[in-house]
Amino acid sequence: MYILEYSEDFGGPEDDFAFQKTTIVYEMSGSIYRAYSRKRYASKEEIQFGDMFSTNKIQGALIFPEFSDKFTKAERPSDCSTCPQYPALIRETWIEEVKTCEILKKNPHPNIAQYHGCAVVNDGSIRGIYFTKYDQTLMGKVNPAGRNKIDFAYERRGADRAEVDRWMEGISQGLKHLHGLGIVHNDLNPCNIMFQGDTPVIIDFDSARPHGHNLSLVKRTHGWHREKTKVALPMNDLAALQEIQLWLLGEIEQFQF
């Protein structure tokens, strides 16, 4: 079993909006399936086959969007990585990401991942998105052992503030550019920031939506956002950026999420 994608579903009365289930998309023996779990996960590696229920096989046409001449088609450049995506809801989720990436391609920024186009197969469907290949994630750079949020932060007390401030400034500039284009990332976390040398670069735009968009069906990472937030607003990203800074400096007492 190979986990392709997962997202958390929330619901309930407005005054008790809470986690309901995790939607999981996985591949097994060449077929793709969608299932659900009552558990929450910090990474794909934590998901176990025994956690899942209500499993259904998914037809490829429901997953892979059709390529449009409004999008950029690209052969894989040697200095790029491909990011195959399998939206846990509907293929329109992926189309939204490509639309965002096309805007970013026309409006590049050194702190935003450089998009090169879509990988398109013979049937005209999109099977991947090409970006410049970066060195490593912020998570991998500072927390290669994968310690949980609290344990890692305890060990960061007394961290080099000048270095953290430098990274935060770069990420902040990337967000400022993104917000200036009317786009909110909505899933900023240490795994969605990469480095080119010592320059931080924001990646992963499958949760990015226009300012004011409803987020009820948008995947976000547990522990790095306010779970009752339902609208795409720049403050979502700014709060996440502050949380990352607190995490890097070990200031656990001030955690927001």
Side-chain angles (χ1 to χ4, degrees):
M1 179 182 70
Y2 178 72
I3 304 299
L4 301 170
E5 184 64 82
Y6 72 101
S7 64
E8 295 183 339
D9 299 338
F10 292 80
E14 187 166 348
D15 59 351
D16 192 29
F17 192 70
F19 170 77
Q20 302 294 316
K21 63 183 182 297
T22 297
T23 302
I24 302 164
V25 177
Y26 66 94
E27 183 176 6
M28 180 179 285
S29 301
S31 296
I32 298 172
Y33 300 87
R34 178 189 298 156
Y36 303 100
S37 170
R38 297 297 181 190
K39 297 182 180 181
R40 305 184 73 172
Y41 305 95
S43 69
K44 296 177 182 179
E45 289 70 29
E46 294 182 3
I47 299 174
Q48 301 295 317
F49 188 77
D51 297 343
M52 294 185 276
F53 65 93
S54 298
T55 301
N56 289 291
K57 187 175 181 179
I58 307 176
Q59 295 180 354
L62 299 178
I63 302 173
F64 303 112
E66 183 178 352
F67 180 76
S68 165
D69 58 10
K70 296 179 181 179
F71 301 153
T72 302
K73 182 177 181 180
E75 300 299 328
R76 179 172 183 170
S78 59
D79 62 343
C80 289
S81 60
T82 182
C83 298
Q85 302 286 334
Y86 303 85
L89 298 173
I90 51 177
R91 62 182 181 171
E92 280 71 17
T93 303
W94 197 0
I95 293 174
E96 289 298 321
E97 180 174 11
V98 177
K99 287 179 179 177
T100 296
C101 290
E102 292 291 341
I103 294 172
L104 297 176
K105 190 173 190 300
K106 295 175 183 176
N107 300 274
H109 188 276
N111 298 109
I112 298 289
Q114 186 178 4
Y115 160 76
H116 296 277
C118 300
V120 183
V121 297
N122 293 336
D123 66 359
S125 63
I126 299 173
R127 296 299 178 96
I129 304 175
Y130 291 126
F131 291 93
T132 293
K133 188 173 183 179
Y134 298 101
D135 298 334
Q136 61 183 155
T137 65
L138 172 59
M139 181 66 80
K141 187 179 185 73
V142 301
N143 185 22
R147 293 183 294 277
N148 68 46
K149 186 177 178 182
I150 297 296
D151 288 347
F152 170 80
Y154 268 118
E155 295 184 15
R156 289 289 294 187
R157 293 178 184 272
D160 184 346
R161 183 174 288 272
E163 180 180 59
V164 172
D165 287 347
R166 186 169 65 252
W167 293 346
M168 293 302 101
E169 176 60 24
I171 301 166
S172 177
Q173 290 301 314
L175 288 178
K176 183 177 180 180
H177 179 74
L178 202 64
H179 296 162
L181 297 172
I183 301 168
V184 182
H185 189 281
N186 295 306
D187 194 26
L188 193 70
N189 66 75
C191 292
N192 286 343
I193 298 165
M194 294 198 75
F195 280 86
Q196 189 168 49
D198 200 43
T199 300
V201 179
I202 299 170
I203 68 165
D204 197 352
F205 303 100
D206 61 336
S207 299
R209 294 293 185 273
H211 185 171
H213 194 281
N214 187 295
L215 297 178
S216 59
L217 298 179
V218 175
K219 174 182 73 68
R220 289 171 288 166
T221 302
H222 174 58
W224 297 99
H225 72 280
R226 292 190 178 94
E227 296 183 354
K228 291 190 176 182
T229 298
K230 303 177 185 178
V231 180
L233 296 171
M235 67 178 67
N236 303 352
D237 295 341
L238 299 180
L241 179 61
Q242 183 180 17
E243 187 80 351
I244 292 169
Q245 182 179 35
L246 295 171
W247 176 74
L248 287 169
L249 293 173
E251 297 178 357
I252 301 169
E253 298 80 5
Q254 299 182 51
F255 276 1
Q256 309 161 87
F257 316 133

